[in-house]
Amino acid sequence: MADNNHSHFQHLYFVLTGIPGLEQKYYWMAFPLGAIYVIALFGNGVIISTIKSELSLHIPMYYFLCMLALADMGLALCTLPSMLGIFWFNYRSITFDACLVQMYFIHTFSAIESGVLVAMAFDRVVAIWSPLRYSTILTNGVVCRTGAVILTRAVCVVFPVPFLIKRLPFYGSNILSHSFCLHQDVMRLACASTRVNSLYGLIAVIFTKGSDSLSILLSYVFILRTVMSITSGEGRLKALNTCVSHICAVLIFYVPLIGVSVIHRFGKHLSPLTHALMANAYLIIPPVLNPIVYTVKTKEIRRKLIQIFVQTKITAGG
């Protein structure tokens, strides 16, 4: 269906796809999916409120964790309307402009999360390399400026993407492969050359996630060299233990991302179900698992969570 205001070159809407082959089970899948979003939003909300209220957590490490939680909440909120619309109400349509907006925020929050993971890696480098100078190197001003740079980079890098898509003609198929709008998925439906889009998308990925993953890798090479120079075995284990949560967060974010990229480039022969599951994992797993990882490793967050459950139980019983 074409839009007369755009000379029959753009669809009025796109059709989102849930999980191919499982359409008859959407009713039963809706409940666990809703629970996943509740866990993601509640878990990240607890992290943010705990860091805000606990003075002992007012240090750079937890400020960066708060930024990570905000990025995870942003990712969850970006995909929640369209995902729940499909699985709960079988509503699969999304207008062209709404699709561009969703695409922009998904890629922006993803770039923010990648940047925050780099900042957290640098935080661990400073904490292990020079613990006595930690508070003088990573001051509140440095943390604020780092957060501003991460946000500005993500906003500016992703900003041209919707406009590059907007200029393309769409008068063929309007069925997307996922439950949300991604740049590469919308781009493949265009009825014109997408060379500029592909080139800019590649540059944006290299500038954000490519450089970020390399920075994290180099950070951990430096951390391992520093840890190996510690004479005490107990000291080495203690230093490495401070990095466990961050390593988990990096793996939780980058493993699904690499999987999606590899499947998109080389998995054309794979079933649509595989593509859909990998894309969903890329956007849903980090917001759900990151709060669990940091709750397990941070006693203040565990205590806050216990307090919430106790208060809820008392309220329900009263």
Side-chain angles (χ1 to χ4, degrees):
M1 183 174 181
D3 184 352
N4 293 327
N5 294 329
H6 291 77
S7 302
H8 298 281
F9 283 108
Q10 285 184 355
H11 297 299
L12 279 174
Y13 61 89
F14 288 111
V15 178
L16 299 170
T17 301
I19 300 181
L22 300 179
E23 289 83 0
Q24 301 302 319
K25 300 181 180 179
Y26 281 179
Y27 178 80
W28 300 107
M29 295 172 63
F31 296 100
L33 180 65
I36 286 173
Y37 276 110
V38 169
I39 292 171
L41 296 176
F42 176 75
N44 286 291
V46 168
I47 288 177
I48 294 168
S49 64
T50 304
I51 294 173
K52 182 180 178 181
S53 60
E54 291 285 342
L55 294 178
S56 61
L57 301 183
H58 289 186
I59 58 176
M61 174 182 175
Y62 291 104
Y63 289 146
F64 290 132
L65 175 57
C66 190
M67 295 179 194
L68 184 68
L70 286 170
D72 280 335
M73 288 187 74
L75 270 179
L77 290 171
C78 285
T79 58
L80 184 147
S82 58
M83 291 274 290
L84 295 188
I86 293 172
F87 288 90
W88 283 14
F89 308 110
N90 198 30
Y91 186 79
R92 301 172 58 197
S93 299
I94 183 171
T95 64
F96 187 91
D97 290 334
C99 184
L100 296 185
V101 171
Q102 185 186 48
M103 175 202 309
Y104 174 77
F105 281 107
I106 286 176
H107 290 295
T108 297
F109 280 115
S110 181
I112 290 173
E113 180 151 353
S114 180
V116 172
L117 289 173
V118 175
M120 296 174 82
F122 179 71
D123 171 85
R124 292 300 84 206
V125 168
V126 175
I128 293 174
W129 170 63
S130 185
L132 297 179
R133 298 175 56 200
Y134 179 79
S135 59
T136 57
I137 295 175
L138 288 175
T139 62
N140 288 342
V142 170
V143 172
C144 289
R145 287 193 292 272
T146 301
V149 169
I150 292 170
L151 176 61
T152 303
R153 184 191 69 159
V155 169
C156 292
V157 168
V158 183
F159 185 75
V161 171
F163 297 98
L164 290 175
I165 289 291
K166 187 81 171 177
R167 70 184 180 86
L168 295 173
F170 292 87
Y171 47 80
S173 173
N174 67 339
I175 300 176
L176 297 173
S177 303
H178 306 303
S179 307
F180 34 76
C181 297
L182 297 176
H183 175 240
Q184 60 269 29
D185 194 25
V186 177
M187 181 178 65
R188 72 177 178 81
L189 297 181
C191 301
S193 173
T194 58
R195 183 174 300 176
V196 174
N197 297 68
S198 298
L199 180 61
Y200 184 80
L202 179 62
I203 293 171
V205 168
I206 292 173
F207 183 64
T208 53
K209 300 180 177 88
S211 62
D212 290 348
S213 58
L214 180 60
S215 299
I216 293 171
L217 178 61
L218 293 176
S219 296
Y220 273 97
V221 170
F222 185 83
I223 287 172
L224 287 175
R225 290 183 58 185
T226 304
V227 169
M228 290 300 104
S229 67
I230 300 174
T231 55
S232 166
E234 183 180 350
R236 287 197 292 266
L237 287 175
K238 185 177 180 181
L240 288 174
N241 188 53
T242 65
C243 301
V244 171
S245 298
H246 179 253
I247 292 172
C248 291
V250 170
L251 293 176
I252 287 168
F253 179 78
Y254 278 103
V255 169
L257 172 63
I258 294 170
V260 169
S261 301
V262 170
I263 285 179
H264 177 70
R265 297 289 179 183
F266 307 109
K268 306 293 186 183
H269 62 285
L270 296 175
S271 67
L273 176 61
T274 304
H275 286 267
L277 290 177
M278 285 301 301
N280 289 338
Y282 160 55
L283 292 179
I284 293 176
I285 286 179
V288 173
L289 292 189
N290 281 338
I292 295 174
V293 169
Y294 280 97
T295 298
V296 170
K297 294 292 293 182
T298 310
K299 63 180 180 181
E300 290 86 357
I301 298 176
R302 288 200 304 272
R303 187 169 64 241
K304 180 75 170 182
L305 200 58
I306 292 171
Q307 289 176 353
I308 291 174
F309 279 122
V310 170
Q311 291 173 359
T312 303
K313 187 174 181 180
I314 292 173
T315 303

